[in-house]
Amino acid sequence: MAARVLRAGGAALASGFLRRASPGSLLPGLRKLTSSDNRPREDSWLKSLFVRKVDPRKDAHSNLLAKKETSSLYKLQFHNVKPECLEAYNKICQEVLPRIHEDKHYPCTLVGTWNTWYGEQDQAVHLWRYEGGYPALTEVMNKLRENQEFSEFRKARSNMLLSRKNQLLLEFSFWNEPIPRSGPNIYELRSYQLRPGTMIEWGNYWARAIRFRQDSNEAVGGFFSQIGQLYMVHHLWAYKDLQTREDIRNAAWHKHGWEELVYYTVPLIQEMESRIMIPQKTSPLQ
């Protein structure tokens, strides 16, 4: 009974207040909120409650993640060779590519050249470094157009290929510098297609994760794409053989903190691929 009286009294009080208050006496802000002209604003406000906020960044991820002390640009080439031409393809590459690598006239370095062993078959992979970034790349391309030997090489090579593609890459600041090494080794190129917008997160996690993978000197280089297929990450590893690879990778799971970093990086990946590669005879990475 008392509760009903209180409710009735409250309703009457509210009713009396509304009768006494004219439209002009309402607060301006209240009038605006009840106006039909501002419904889009109300809708956007409601939607904002359910939309993930993205912190604005002050710089491109290439500037945040790449090495500051160098301005090197990398080019990664994938050549799918006709199966019957693979031997001839390797031969002409071993003749021509080292000459460009050794010629001081060209501001570029052949980092490594391989054939895929496990993964996409009858494939050649080449990794070049351009000291000086995009200007160095442009300079090399212009000079090669005037190089008669290279023009003949490209013409002969084109008859041996099924397809080819390339990417321009920068190297992560926290990864090892890819330098020549003696062999024999096998190389693993692990390629990750990340979800757009997650490159900074990947870099933050792998800046810590790489410390778990240095004991056996297996880390060769880490790169992320700038032109070509975007949000691509490539990690290059060297192992004595497949069993050594298995042992080193298993050992990482026994290090405290590794499993947590894997747990947080896996959701950032859309697709991933592993290639096991054998270096060609003239590759600086053996």
Side-chain angles (χ1 to χ4, degrees):
M1 171 70 98
R4 284 200 297 271
V5 170
L6 286 172
R7 284 198 298 271
L13 181 63
S15 174
F17 172 78
L18 290 174
R19 282 197 300 270
R20 287 193 298 273
S22 65
S25 66
L26 292 175
L27 293 175
L30 187 57
R31 284 204 308 274
K32 290 179 181 178
L33 283 174
T34 57
S35 170
S36 62
D37 294 339
N38 288 274
R39 280 177 188 167
R41 186 182 303 172
E42 291 180 51
D43 293 342
S44 64
W45 177 79
L46 288 171
K47 289 177 182 177
S48 71
L49 296 177
F50 306 100
V51 175
R52 178 187 174 193
K53 296 290 194 307
V54 178
D55 294 332
R57 304 229 175 253
K58 302 297 184 182
D59 208 346
H61 68 244
S62 58
N63 293 331
L64 296 172
L65 295 173
K67 290 186 176 177
K68 299 293 190 295
E69 62 272 19
T70 66
S71 56
S72 293
L73 181 72
Y74 290 81
K75 179 166 70 175
L76 184 61
Q77 298 175 302
F78 299 99
H79 291 174
N80 293 316
V81 185
K82 296 175 182 177
E84 67 274 14
C85 297
L86 186 60
E87 185 176 347
Y89 171 91
N90 287 339
K91 183 179 179 181
I92 63 170
C93 285
Q94 290 166 12
E95 291 173 353
V96 176
L97 300 187
R99 294 192 191 128
I100 300 171
H101 166 75
E102 295 165 1
D103 192 337
K104 302 302 181 184
H105 188 59
Y106 299 99
C108 64
T109 303
L110 181 62
V111 178
T113 176
W114 304 267
N115 288 132
T116 301
W117 185 22
Y118 289 104
E120 197 160 353
Q121 296 294 285
D122 304 308
Q123 185 181 72
V125 180
H126 309 290
L127 181 62
W128 292 88
R129 176 170 52 227
Y130 297 87
E131 295 87 359
Y134 292 108
L137 172 67
T138 302
E139 180 182 348
V140 170
M141 295 300 102
N142 289 337
K143 288 179 177 178
L144 286 177
R145 289 192 188 99
E146 306 300 323
N147 186 321
Q148 185 62 34
E149 180 189 33
F150 187 77
S151 297
E152 293 173 0
F153 161 75
R154 288 195 63 181
K155 184 177 180 180
R157 186 188 66 181
S158 65
N159 295 324
M160 303 177 185
L161 297 181
L162 293 170
S163 64
R164 61 193 179 105
K165 69 175 182 178
N166 58 28
Q167 295 177 355
L168 294 181
L169 316 169
L170 294 176
E171 58 183 328
F172 284 110
S173 61
F174 46 85
W175 261 83
N176 305 35
E177 185 80 15
I179 58 175
R181 63 172 67 195
S182 57
N185 294 293
I186 62 170
Y187 288 82
E188 181 177 19
L189 183 65
R190 295 178 70 87
S191 302
Y192 304 89
Q193 176 67 63
L194 301 187
R195 298 181 184 279
T198 62
M199 186 66 75
I200 296 294
E201 291 179 74
W202 180 272
N204 286 338
Y205 288 125
W206 263 97
R208 289 179 284 160
I210 192 63
R211 295 176 296 173
F212 295 97
R213 298 295 307 276
Q214 298 283 6
D215 292 350
S216 301
N217 195 32
E218 71 267 26
V220 178
F223 313 91
F224 59 98
S225 63
Q226 288 292 283
I227 295 178
Q229 192 169 346
L230 298 179
Y231 283 96
M232 283 293 298
V233 169
H234 301 283
H235 292 174
L236 184 61
W237 308 91
Y239 305 101
K240 180 182 176 181
D241 51 39
L242 288 174
Q243 185 57 55
T244 303
R245 170 188 176 273
E246 182 76 2
D247 294 340
I248 290 174
R249 289 176 55 81
N250 286 340
W253 289 97
H254 298 287
K255 298 176 182 178
H256 178 70
W258 172 255
E259 73 287 347
E260 179 183 358
L261 293 168
V262 172
Y263 175 84
Y264 285 112
T265 54
V266 166
L268 309 180
I269 302 170
Q270 284 186 330
E271 294 181 17
M272 58 188 297
E273 182 179 7
S274 170
R275 289 177 178 85
I276 301 296
M277 308 183 301
I278 304 296
Q280 294 191 28
K281 294 176 182 179
T282 54
S283 176
L285 286 169
Q286 283 295 310

